Amino acid sequence: MTSRRRSVSGAIRHALLTGDKTAKVFAARQVARDWRLGRLAFDFDCPMPDRPAWPEELELLAPGKMPRRSRGGSLAGRVALWHSLAHIEFVAIDLALDMAGRFGESMGEQFVGDFLSVAADEAMHFALIERKLATMGSHYGALPAHDGLWGAAQDTAHDVTARLAIVPMVLEARGLDVTPAMLERVRSQGDESGARILERILDDEIRHVAFGAKHFRELCITRDEKPPESWQKLVEMHFSGGLKPPFNDSARAAAGLSRDFYAAIA
């Protein structure tokens, strides 16, 4: 007698509701591995939570209430930089898991696999940064973090095209723009290990944005819509921050996000 395979939605929900930072890293990577090895059924019998679980010690502030970060090379300034990156990567784990779990049933198995692989990458990025923080005598949760990132998920929970437009194609694409300058600054401070982490993140984020752009284009084709125009409308509806240069045009192009998407509304 063969046992029934666990549903992929149940596994994703479990990972989303895992609050301990180390356990979430393991849970996200386990879901991706189990899916890749065929251990999870393409069943969506578990709803996604409105909000994932995060570490109890993490103090969340509104973006406008966050303390200003020093731009210098002091230890406190460097810790604050890496802590902010740790938070971005930690939330990105849940954004990718929620993408797969919330929209996977309608979007199909390739979509689920793509975004579970993103979740595993983000978990690995977070683990690298957490280890980096430890070398500086700190850890994730030692400083407050802003609570604006999950708002993008809540605002687009009703529409997969809106979620794809905002999370991979705006938020992650912004990472392509700002990481090269950050990498240069970190390297100028003699922090070669930090530079290697940022290089790895930049390479992976190109692929993550590409997943978003690919599935967004496919949706537009099925709806007989022009992808750039559809994306621009969704950004105007769901993203209040505005798109600001400079843009990493080469990295964006490599991810399938050509200038005809963003140049007109920057």
Coordinates of all heavy atoms in Angstrom, one line a residue, residues 43-127:
D43 N -1.5 19.5 -5.5 CA -2.8 19.7 -4.9 C -2.8 21.0 -4.1 O -1.7 21.3 -3.5 CB -3.1 18.5 -3.9 CG -3.4 17.2 -4.6 OD1 -3.9 17.3 -5.8 OD2 -3.2 16.2 -4.0
F44 N -3.9 21.7 -4.1 CA -4.0 23.0 -3.4 C -5.1 23.0 -2.5 O -6.1 23.6 -2.6 CB -4.0 24.1 -4.5 CG -2.8 24.3 -5.2 CD1 -2.4 23.5 -6.3 CD2 -1.8 25.2 -4.8 CE1 -1.2 23.6 -6.9 CE2 -0.6 25.4 -5.4 CZ -0.3 24.5 -6.5
D45 N -5.0 22.1 -1.4 CA -6.0 21.9 -0.5 C -5.8 22.7 0.8 O -6.6 22.6 1.7 CB -6.1 20.4 -0.1 CG -4.7 19.8 0.3 OD1 -3.7 20.6 0.3 OD2 -4.7 18.6 0.7
C46 N -4.8 23.5 0.8 CA -4.5 24.4 2.0 C -4.4 25.8 1.6 O -3.6 26.2 0.6 CB -3.1 24.0 2.6 SG -3.1 22.3 3.4
P47 N -5.1 26.7 2.2 CA -5.0 28.1 1.8 C -3.7 28.8 2.4 O -3.2 28.3 3.3 CB -6.2 28.8 2.5 CG -6.4 27.9 3.7 CD -6.1 26.5 3.3
M48 N -3.3 29.8 1.7 CA -2.1 30.5 2.1 C -2.5 31.5 3.2 O -3.6 32.1 3.2 CB -1.5 31.3 1.0 CG -0.9 30.4 -0.1 SD 0.3 29.2 0.4 CE -0.6 27.7 0.4
P49 N -1.7 31.7 4.2 CA -2.0 32.6 5.3 C -1.9 34.0 4.8 O -1.2 34.3 3.8 CB -0.9 32.4 6.3 CG 0.3 31.8 5.6 CD -0.4 31.0 4.4
D50 N -2.7 34.9 5.4 CA -2.6 36.4 5.0 C -1.2 36.9 5.3 O -0.8 37.9 4.6 CB -3.7 37.2 5.8 CG -5.1 36.8 5.4 OD1 -5.2 36.3 4.2 OD2 -6.0 37.0 6.2
R51 N -0.6 36.4 6.3 CA 0.8 36.9 6.7 C 1.6 35.8 7.2 O 1.1 34.9 7.9 CB 0.6 38.0 7.8 CG 1.9 38.7 8.1 CD 1.7 39.8 9.1 NE 2.9 40.6 9.3 CZ 3.2 41.7 8.7 NH1 2.3 42.3 7.9 NH2 4.4 42.3 8.9
P52 N 2.9 35.7 6.8 CA 3.7 34.6 7.2 C 4.2 34.9 8.7 O 4.0 36.0 9.2 CB 4.9 34.7 6.3 CG 5.0 36.1 5.9 CD 3.6 36.6 5.8
A53 N 4.8 33.8 9.3 CA 5.4 34.0 10.6 C 6.8 34.4 10.5 O 7.5 33.9 9.6 CB 5.3 32.6 11.3
W54 N 7.2 35.4 11.3 CA 8.6 35.9 11.4 C 9.1 35.7 12.8 O 8.3 35.5 13.7 CB 8.6 37.3 10.9 CG 8.3 37.5 9.4 CD1 8.3 36.5 8.5 CD2 8.0 38.7 8.7 NE1 8.0 37.0 7.2 CE2 7.8 38.3 7.3 CE3 7.9 40.0 9.1 CZ2 7.5 39.3 6.4 CZ3 7.6 41.0 8.1 CH2 7.4 40.6 6.8
P55 N 10.4 35.9 13.0 CA 11.0 35.8 14.3 C 10.3 36.7 15.3 O 10.1 37.9 15.0 CB 12.5 36.1 14.1 CG 12.7 35.8 12.7 CD 11.5 36.2 12.0
E56 N 10.1 36.2 16.5 CA 9.4 37.0 17.5 C 10.2 38.2 18.0 O 9.6 39.2 18.3 CB 9.1 36.1 18.8 CG 8.0 35.1 18.5 CD 7.7 34.3 19.8 OE1 8.2 34.7 20.9 OE2 6.9 33.3 19.7
E57 N 11.5 38.1 17.9 CA 12.4 39.2 18.4 C 12.5 40.3 17.4 O 12.9 41.4 17.7 CB 13.8 38.7 18.6 CG 14.5 38.2 17.4 CD 16.0 37.9 17.7 OE1 16.6 38.5 18.5 OE2 16.5 37.0 17.0
L58 N 12.0 40.1 16.1 CA 12.1 41.1 15.1 C 11.2 42.3 15.3 O 10.0 42.1 15.4 CB 11.9 40.5 13.7 CG 12.1 41.4 12.5 CD1 13.6 41.8 12.4 CD2 11.6 40.7 11.2
E59 N 11.7 43.5 15.5 CA 10.9 44.7 15.7 C 10.6 45.3 14.3 O 11.5 45.6 13.6 CB 11.7 45.7 16.5 CG 10.9 47.0 16.8 CD 11.7 48.1 17.5 OE1 12.9 47.9 17.7 OE2 11.1 49.2 17.7
L60 N 9.4 45.4 14.0 CA 8.9 45.9 12.7 C 8.4 47.3 12.8 O 7.6 47.6 13.7 CB 7.8 45.0 12.1 CG 8.2 43.6 11.8 CD1 7.0 42.8 11.4 CD2 9.2 43.6 10.6
L61 N 8.9 48.2 12.0 CA 8.6 49.6 12.0 C 8.0 50.0 10.6 O 8.4 49.4 9.6 CB 9.8 50.5 12.3 CG 10.5 50.3 13.6 CD1 11.7 51.2 13.7 CD2 9.5 50.5 14.8
A62 N 7.2 51.0 10.6 CA 6.7 51.6 9.3 C 8.0 52.1 8.6 O 8.9 52.6 9.2 CB 5.7 52.7 9.5
P63 N 8.0 52.1 7.2 CA 9.2 52.5 6.5 C 9.6 53.9 6.9 O 10.9 54.2 7.0 CB 8.8 52.4 5.0 CG 7.7 51.3 5.0 CD 7.0 51.4 6.3
G64 N 8.7 54.8 7.1 CA 9.1 56.2 7.5 C 9.6 56.3 8.9 O 10.2 57.4 9.3
K65 N 9.5 55.3 9.7 CA 9.9 55.3 11.1 C 11.3 54.7 11.3 O 11.9 54.7 12.4 CB 8.9 54.6 12.0 CG 7.5 55.2 12.0 CD 7.5 56.5 12.8 CE 6.0 57.0 12.9 NZ 6.0 58.3 13.6
M66 N 11.9 54.2 10.2 CA 13.2 53.5 10.3 C 14.3 54.5 10.6 O 14.3 55.6 10.0 CB 13.5 52.8 9.0 CG 12.6 51.5 8.8 SD 13.1 50.2 10.0 CE 14.8 49.8 9.4
P67 N 15.2 54.2 11.5 CA 16.3 55.1 11.8 C 17.2 55.2 10.5 O 17.3 54.3 9.8 CB 17.1 54.4 12.9 CG 16.7 53.0 12.9 CD 15.3 53.0 12.3
R68 N 17.8 56.4 10.3 CA 18.6 56.6 9.2 C 19.9 55.8 9.3 O 20.5 55.7 10.4 CB 18.9 58.1 9.1 CG 17.7 59.0 8.7 CD 18.1 60.4 8.6 NE 19.0 60.7 7.4 CZ 18.5 60.9 6.2 NH1 17.2 60.9 5.9 NH2 19.4 61.1 5.2
R69 N 20.3 55.2 8.2 CA 21.5 54.4 8.2 C 22.7 55.2 7.9 O 22.7 56.0 6.9 CB 21.4 53.2 7.3 CG 22.4 52.1 7.4 CD 22.0 50.9 6.7 NE 22.1 51.1 5.2 CZ 21.2 50.8 4.4 NH1 20.1 50.3 4.8 NH2 21.4 51.0 3.1
S70 N 23.8 55.0 8.6 CA 25.1 55.7 8.3 C 25.6 55.3 6.9 O 25.6 54.1 6.6 CB 26.1 55.4 9.4 OG 27.4 55.9 9.0
R71 N 26.1 56.2 6.1 CA 26.6 55.9 4.8 C 28.1 55.6 4.9 O 28.7 55.2 3.9 CB 26.4 57.0 3.8 CG 24.9 57.4 3.6 CD 24.2 56.4 2.8 NE 24.7 56.4 1.4 CZ 24.2 55.7 0.4 NH1 23.3 54.8 0.7 NH2 24.7 55.7 -0.8
G72 N 28.7 55.8 6.0 CA 30.1 55.6 6.2 C 30.5 54.2 6.3 O 29.7 53.3 6.2
G73 N 31.8 53.9 6.6 CA 32.3 52.6 6.7 C 32.4 52.1 8.1 O 33.2 51.1 8.3
S74 N 31.8 52.7 9.1 CA 31.9 52.3 10.5 C 31.3 50.9 10.6 O 30.4 50.5 9.8 CB 31.2 53.3 11.4 OG 29.8 53.2 11.1
L75 N 31.7 50.2 11.7 CA 31.1 48.9 12.0 C 29.6 49.0 12.1 O 28.8 48.2 11.5 CB 31.7 48.3 13.2 CG 31.2 46.9 13.7 CD1 31.4 45.9 12.6 CD2 31.8 46.5 15.0
A76 N 29.1 50.0 12.8 CA 27.6 50.1 13.0 C 26.9 50.3 11.7 O 25.9 49.8 11.4 CB 27.3 51.3 13.9
G77 N 27.5 51.1 10.8 CA 26.9 51.4 9.5 C 26.9 50.1 8.6 O 26.0 49.8 7.9
R78 N 28.0 49.3 8.7 CA 28.1 48.1 7.9 C 27.1 47.1 8.4 O 26.5 46.4 7.7 CB 29.5 47.6 7.9 CG 30.5 48.4 7.1 CD 32.0 48.2 7.4 NE 32.3 46.8 7.4 CZ 33.0 46.2 8.4 NH1 33.6 47.0 9.3 NH2 33.3 44.9 8.3
V79 N 27.0 47.0 9.8 CA 26.0 46.0 10.3 C 24.6 46.4 9.9 O 23.8 45.5 9.5 CB 26.1 46.0 11.9 CG1 24.9 45.3 12.5 CG2 27.4 45.3 12.3
A80 N 24.3 47.7 9.9 CA 23.0 48.2 9.5 C 22.7 47.8 8.1 O 21.6 47.4 7.7 CB 22.8 49.7 9.8
L81 N 23.7 48.0 7.2 CA 23.5 47.6 5.8 C 23.2 46.1 5.6 O 22.2 45.8 5.0 CB 24.8 48.0 5.0 CG 24.8 47.4 3.6 CD1 23.8 48.1 2.7 CD2 26.2 47.6 3.0
W82 N 24.0 45.3 6.2 CA 23.8 43.9 6.1 C 22.5 43.4 6.8 O 21.9 42.4 6.3 CB 25.1 43.1 6.6 CG 26.2 43.2 5.6 CD1 27.3 44.0 5.8 CD2 26.4 42.6 4.4 NE1 28.1 43.9 4.7 CE2 27.6 43.0 3.8 CE3 25.6 41.6 3.7 CZ2 28.1 42.6 2.6 CZ3 26.1 41.2 2.4 CH2 27.3 41.6 1.9
H83 N 22.2 44.0 7.8 CA 20.9 43.7 8.5 C 19.7 44.0 7.6 O 18.8 43.2 7.5 CB 20.7 44.4 9.8 CG 19.6 43.9 10.7 ND1 18.3 44.2 10.5 CD2 19.6 43.0 11.7 CE1 17.5 43.6 11.3 NE2 18.3 42.8 12.1
S84 N 19.8 45.2 6.9 CA 18.7 45.5 6.0 C 18.6 44.5 4.8 O 17.5 44.1 4.4 CB 18.9 46.9 5.5 OG 20.0 47.1 4.6
L85 N 19.8 44.1 4.3 CA 19.8 43.1 3.3 C 19.3 41.7 3.8 O 18.6 41.0 3.0 CB 21.2 42.9 2.7 CG 21.8 44.1 2.0 CD1 23.3 43.8 1.7 CD2 21.0 44.4 0.7
A86 N 19.6 41.4 5.0 CA 19.1 40.1 5.5 C 17.6 40.2 5.6 O 16.9 39.2 5.2 CB 19.6 39.9 7.0
H87 N 17.0 41.3 6.0 CA 15.5 41.4 6.0 C 14.9 41.3 4.6 O 13.9 40.6 4.5 CB 15.1 42.7 6.7 CG 13.7 42.9 6.8 ND1 12.9 42.0 7.6 CD2 12.8 43.8 6.3 CE1 11.6 42.4 7.6 NE2 11.5 43.5 6.8
I88 N 15.5 42.0 3.7 CA 15.0 41.9 2.3 C 15.0 40.4 1.8 O 14.0 39.9 1.3 CB 15.8 42.7 1.3 CG1 15.6 44.2 1.6 CG2 15.5 42.4 -0.1 CD1 16.6 45.1 0.9
E89 N 16.1 39.7 2.1 CA 16.2 38.3 1.6 C 15.2 37.4 2.4 O 14.7 36.5 1.9 CB 17.6 37.8 1.7 CG 18.6 38.5 0.9 CD 18.3 38.4 -0.6 OE1 17.8 37.4 -1.1 OE2 18.6 39.3 -1.4
F90 N 15.1 37.7 3.7 CA 14.2 36.9 4.5 C 12.7 37.0 4.1 O 12.0 36.0 3.9 CB 14.3 37.3 6.0 CG 13.6 36.3 6.9 CD1 14.2 35.1 7.3 CD2 12.3 36.6 7.4 CE1 13.5 34.3 8.2 CE2 11.7 35.8 8.3 CZ 12.2 34.6 8.7
V91 N 12.3 38.2 3.8 CA 10.9 38.4 3.3 C 10.8 37.9 1.9 O 9.7 37.3 1.6 CB 10.6 39.9 3.3 CG1 9.1 40.1 2.8 CG2 10.7 40.5 4.8
A92 N 11.8 37.9 1.1 CA 11.8 37.4 -0.2 C 11.5 35.9 -0.2 O 10.9 35.3 -1.2 CB 13.1 37.7 -1.0
I93 N 12.0 35.2 0.8 CA 11.7 33.7 0.9 C 10.1 33.6 0.9 O 9.6 32.8 0.1 CB 12.2 33.1 2.2 CG1 13.8 33.2 2.3 CG2 11.8 31.6 2.4 CD1 14.3 32.9 3.7
D94 N 9.5 34.3 1.8 CA 8.0 34.2 1.9 C 7.3 34.7 0.7 O 6.2 34.2 0.3 CB 7.5 34.9 3.2 CG 7.9 34.2 4.4 OD1 8.0 32.9 4.4 OD2 8.2 34.8 5.5
L95 N 7.8 35.8 0.0 CA 7.2 36.3 -1.2 C 7.2 35.2 -2.3 O 6.2 35.0 -3.0 CB 7.9 37.5 -1.7 CG 7.7 38.8 -0.9 CD1 8.6 39.9 -1.3 CD2 6.2 39.3 -1.0
A96 N 8.3 34.5 -2.4 CA 8.4 33.4 -3.4 C 7.5 32.2 -3.0 O 6.8 31.7 -3.9 CB 9.8 33.0 -3.6
L97 N 7.5 31.9 -1.8 CA 6.6 30.8 -1.3 C 5.2 31.1 -1.6 O 4.4 30.3 -2.1 CB 6.9 30.5 0.1 CG 8.2 29.8 0.5 CD1 8.3 29.8 2.1 CD2 8.3 28.4 0.0
D98 N 4.8 32.3 -1.2 CA 3.4 32.7 -1.4 C 3.0 32.8 -2.8 O 1.9 32.4 -3.2 CB 3.1 34.1 -0.7 CG 1.7 34.5 -0.7 OD1 0.9 33.9 0.2 OD2 1.3 35.3 -1.5
M99 N 3.9 33.2 -3.7 CA 3.6 33.2 -5.1 C 3.3 31.8 -5.6 O 2.3 31.6 -6.3 CB 4.9 33.7 -5.9 CG 4.7 33.8 -7.4 SD 3.9 35.3 -7.9 CE 5.3 36.4 -8.0
A100 N 4.1 30.8 -5.2 CA 3.8 29.5 -5.7 C 2.6 28.9 -5.1 O 1.8 28.2 -5.8 CB 5.0 28.6 -5.3
G101 N 2.4 29.1 -3.8 CA 1.2 28.6 -3.1 C -0.1 29.2 -3.4 O -1.2 28.6 -3.5
R102 N -0.1 30.5 -3.6 CA -1.3 31.3 -3.9 C -1.8 31.2 -5.3 O -3.0 31.1 -5.6 CB -1.1 32.7 -3.5 CG -2.4 33.6 -3.5 CD -2.1 34.9 -2.9 NE -1.7 34.9 -1.5 CZ -2.4 34.8 -0.5 NH1 -3.8 34.8 -0.6 NH2 -1.9 34.8 0.8
F103 N -0.9 31.1 -6.2 CA -1.3 31.2 -7.7 C -0.9 29.9 -8.4 O -1.2 29.8 -9.6 CB -0.6 32.4 -8.3 CG -0.9 33.7 -7.6 CD1 0.0 34.4 -7.0 CD2 -2.2 34.2 -7.7 CE1 -0.2 35.6 -6.4 CE2 -2.5 35.4 -7.1 CZ -1.5 36.1 -6.4
G104 N -0.2 29.0 -7.8 CA 0.3 27.8 -8.5 C -0.8 26.9 -9.1 O -0.6 26.4 -10.2
E105 N -2.0 26.8 -8.5 CA -3.0 25.9 -9.0 C -3.5 26.4 -10.4 O -3.6 25.6 -11.3 CB -4.2 25.9 -8.1 CG -5.3 24.9 -8.5 CD -6.4 24.7 -7.4 OE1 -6.5 25.7 -6.6 OE2 -7.0 23.7 -7.5
S106 N -3.6 27.7 -10.6 CA -4.1 28.2 -11.9 C -3.0 28.4 -12.9 O -3.2 28.3 -14.1 CB -4.8 29.6 -11.7 OG -3.9 30.6 -11.1
M107 N -1.7 28.5 -12.4 CA -0.6 28.8 -13.3 C 0.1 27.6 -13.7 O 0.8 27.6 -14.7 CB 0.4 29.8 -12.6 CG -0.2 31.2 -12.4 SD -0.6 32.0 -13.9 CE 1.1 32.3 -14.5
G108 N 0.0 26.5 -13.0 CA 0.6 25.2 -13.4 C 1.9 24.8 -12.7 O 2.5 25.6 -12.0
E109 N 2.4 23.6 -13.1 CA 3.5 23.0 -12.4 C 4.8 23.8 -12.6 O 5.7 23.9 -11.7 CB 3.6 21.6 -12.8 CG 2.5 20.7 -12.3 CD 2.7 19.2 -12.5 OE1 3.8 18.8 -12.8 OE2 1.7 18.5 -12.4
Q110 N 5.1 24.3 -13.8 CA 6.3 25.0 -14.1 C 6.4 26.2 -13.3 O 7.5 26.6 -12.7 CB 6.4 25.3 -15.6 CG 7.7 26.1 -16.0 CD 8.9 25.2 -15.9 OE1 8.9 24.1 -16.4 NE2 9.9 25.6 -15.1
F111 N 5.3 26.9 -13.1 CA 5.2 28.1 -12.3 C 5.6 27.8 -10.9 O 6.4 28.5 -10.2 CB 3.8 28.7 -12.4 CG 3.6 30.0 -11.6 CD1 3.8 31.2 -12.2 CD2 3.2 30.0 -10.3 CE1 3.5 32.4 -11.5 CE2 3.0 31.1 -9.6 CZ 3.1 32.4 -10.2
V112 N 5.0 26.7 -10.3 CA 5.3 26.3 -9.0 C 6.8 26.0 -8.8 O 7.5 26.5 -7.9 CB 4.5 25.1 -8.6 CG1 4.9 24.5 -7.2 CG2 3.0 25.5 -8.5
G113 N 7.4 25.3 -9.8 CA 8.8 24.9 -9.7 C 9.7 26.1 -9.8 O 10.7 26.2 -9.0
D114 N 9.3 27.1 -10.7 CA 10.1 28.3 -10.8 C 10.2 29.0 -9.5 O 11.3 29.4 -9.0 CB 9.6 29.2 -11.9 CG 9.8 28.7 -13.3 OD1 10.7 27.8 -13.5 OD2 9.2 29.2 -14.2
F115 N 9.1 29.3 -8.8 CA 9.1 30.1 -7.7 C 9.5 29.4 -6.4 O 10.0 30.0 -5.5 CB 7.7 30.9 -7.5 CG 7.6 32.0 -8.5 CD1 6.9 31.8 -9.7 CD2 8.3 33.2 -8.3 CE1 6.9 32.9 -10.6 CE2 8.3 34.2 -9.2 CZ 7.6 34.0 -10.4
L116 N 9.4 28.1 -6.4 CA 10.0 27.3 -5.2 C 11.5 27.4 -5.4 O 12.2 27.4 -4.3 CB 9.4 25.9 -5.2 CG 8.0 25.7 -4.7 CD1 7.6 24.3 -4.7 CD2 7.8 26.4 -3.4
S117 N 12.0 27.4 -6.6 CA 13.5 27.5 -6.7 C 13.9 28.9 -6.3 O 15.0 29.0 -5.7 CB 13.9 27.2 -8.2 OG 13.6 28.2 -9.0
V118 N 13.1 29.9 -6.6 CA 13.4 31.2 -6.1 C 13.5 31.3 -4.6 O 14.4 31.8 -3.9 CB 12.4 32.3 -6.6 CG1 12.6 33.6 -5.9 CG2 12.5 32.4 -8.1
A119 N 12.5 30.6 -3.9 CA 12.4 30.6 -2.5 C 13.7 29.9 -1.9 O 14.2 30.4 -0.9 CB 11.2 29.8 -2.0
A120 N 14.1 28.9 -2.5 CA 15.4 28.2 -2.1 C 16.6 29.1 -2.2 O 17.4 29.1 -1.3 CB 15.5 26.9 -2.8
D121 N 16.6 29.8 -3.3 CA 17.7 30.8 -3.5 C 17.7 31.8 -2.4 O 18.8 32.2 -1.9 CB 17.6 31.5 -4.9 CG 18.0 30.6 -6.1 OD1 18.6 29.5 -5.8 OD2 17.7 31.0 -7.2
E122 N 16.5 32.4 -2.2 CA 16.5 33.5 -1.2 C 16.8 33.0 0.2 O 17.5 33.7 1.0 CB 15.0 34.1 -1.2 CG 14.5 34.5 -2.5 CD 15.2 35.7 -3.1 OE1 16.3 36.1 -2.7 OE2 14.6 36.3 -4.0
A123 N 16.5 31.7 0.5 CA 16.9 31.1 1.8 C 18.4 31.0 1.9 O 19.0 31.3 2.9 CB 16.2 29.8 1.9
M124 N 19.0 30.6 0.8 CA 20.5 30.5 0.8 C 21.1 31.9 0.9 O 22.1 32.1 1.7 CB 20.9 29.8 -0.5 CG 22.4 29.6 -0.6 SD 23.2 31.0 -1.5 CE 22.5 30.7 -3.1
H125 N 20.5 32.9 0.2 CA 21.1 34.3 0.4 C 21.0 34.7 1.8 O 21.9 35.3 2.4 CB 20.3 35.2 -0.5 CG 20.3 35.0 -2.0 ND1 19.5 35.5 -2.9 CD2 21.2 34.2 -2.7 CE1 19.8 35.1 -4.1 NE2 20.8 34.3 -4.0
F126 N 19.8 34.5 2.4 CA 19.6 34.9 3.8 C 20.7 34.2 4.7 O 21.3 34.9 5.6 CB 18.2 34.6 4.3 CG 18.1 34.8 5.8 CD1 17.9 36.1 6.3 CD2 18.1 33.8 6.7 CE1 17.8 36.4 7.6 CE2 18.0 34.0 8.1 CZ 17.8 35.3 8.5
A127 N 20.9 32.9 4.5 CA 21.8 32.2 5.4 C 23.2 32.7 5.2 O 24.0 32.9 6.2 CB 21.8 30.7 5.0

